[in-house]
Amino acid sequence: MRWYNLTMSTDNAVFRVGDAVVYPLQGVGSIISCEKRREREYYRIGIAASDMDVLLPVENASALGLRHLATVTEAKKAISSLSEKKDTRGLDWKQRLLKNQELMKDGSLASIAIVVNSLYRRSKVKELPVQERKLYDNALSILVDETSSVLGIGTEEIKKKIFAKLEK
């Protein structure tokens, strides 16, 4: 088993085989192995929700947003933030999509919660365009999977908590 040190913008993250991680836009997974191919080292990450493996170059992992799961405090704060009403009026769907894609690329649980909150509230006013609907579904899936893993609560119970906050 190898250890890799990756310098990230906020801290020094160490990833090893078996670690639970979040890969933005893909979801929650775990590092299955570290492999060498053509002089490059890669993490093989198993993403359970989509039943796929992703190879991610070790030297680009931080730039691509690979991170450890959020803390319990961050997970609770993300769920609590869902009851906040955000005003997205004045933005057309393309502007909203770009803004929300940037938040998803940021990859933090707080940013993912903002996307879920914003698009859920927008969907209550008017049906979401296809691209926004896909983004909403992806963000919701990541939010559910990560908070479920962090808090040790089943996904159905977490969904109930999330929608209870969104409906407030």
Side-chain angles (χ1 to χ4, degrees):
M1 185 183 321
R2 286 184 139 211
W3 287 70
Y4 293 98
N5 247 337
L6 300 175
T7 304
M8 300 181 85
S9 58
T10 55
D11 63 353
N12 199 23
V14 177
F15 298 97
R16 62 182 173 166
V17 172
D19 281 354
V21 294
V22 177
Y23 182 34
L25 299 176
Q26 296 297 322
V28 176
S30 64
I31 297 181
I32 298 169
S33 65
C34 295
E35 304 173 9
K36 190 166 188 168
R37 294 182 178 201
R38 296 187 189 158
E39 305 297 320
R40 285 182 94 177
E41 305 231 3
Y42 292 88
Y43 290 125
R44 178 175 294 278
I45 303 166
I47 309 291
S50 57
D51 193 29
M52 70 177 191
D53 290 355
V54 176
L55 283 177
L56 193 65
V58 169
E59 72 269 9
N60 294 345
S62 63
L64 295 171
L66 185 67
R67 66 174 174 81
H68 287 100
L69 293 179
T71 64
V72 170
T73 302
E74 290 168 330
K76 288 179 178 178
K77 191 181 281 188
I79 290 174
S80 292
S81 74
L82 296 173
S83 59
E84 297 171 10
K85 293 192 166 120
K86 306 279 184 193
D87 187 11
T88 59
R89 290 178 298 182
L91 296 177
D92 70 13
W93 74 269
K94 290 178 187 174
Q95 292 170 319
R96 279 194 318 272
L97 180 64
L98 289 173
K99 177 184 167 213
N100 287 325
Q101 285 174 329
E102 285 301 314
L103 286 167
M104 290 296 289
K105 285 178 189 172
D106 170 59
S108 72
L109 190 57
S111 295
I112 292 167
I114 290 169
V115 172
V116 169
N117 190 1
S118 166
L119 293 178
Y120 176 82
R121 295 192 188 290
R122 182 67 187 167
S123 73
K124 292 299 180 183
V125 174
K126 187 177 181 183
E127 186 176 342
L128 295 173
V130 173
Q131 287 182 305
E132 279 191 310
R133 183 66 199 187
K134 287 180 181 177
L135 191 64
Y136 168 75
D137 290 342
N138 188 34
L140 180 61
S141 175
I142 293 170
L143 182 64
V144 167
D145 289 348
E146 186 168 5
T147 55
S148 173
S149 295
V150 170
L151 299 175
I153 298 172
T155 57
E156 289 307 312
E157 189 175 335
I158 283 292
K159 282 181 185 177
K160 287 178 187 172
K161 287 180 183 253
I162 288 170
F163 286 108
K165 287 291 186 180
L166 289 168
E167 290 295 329
K168 279 189 176 181

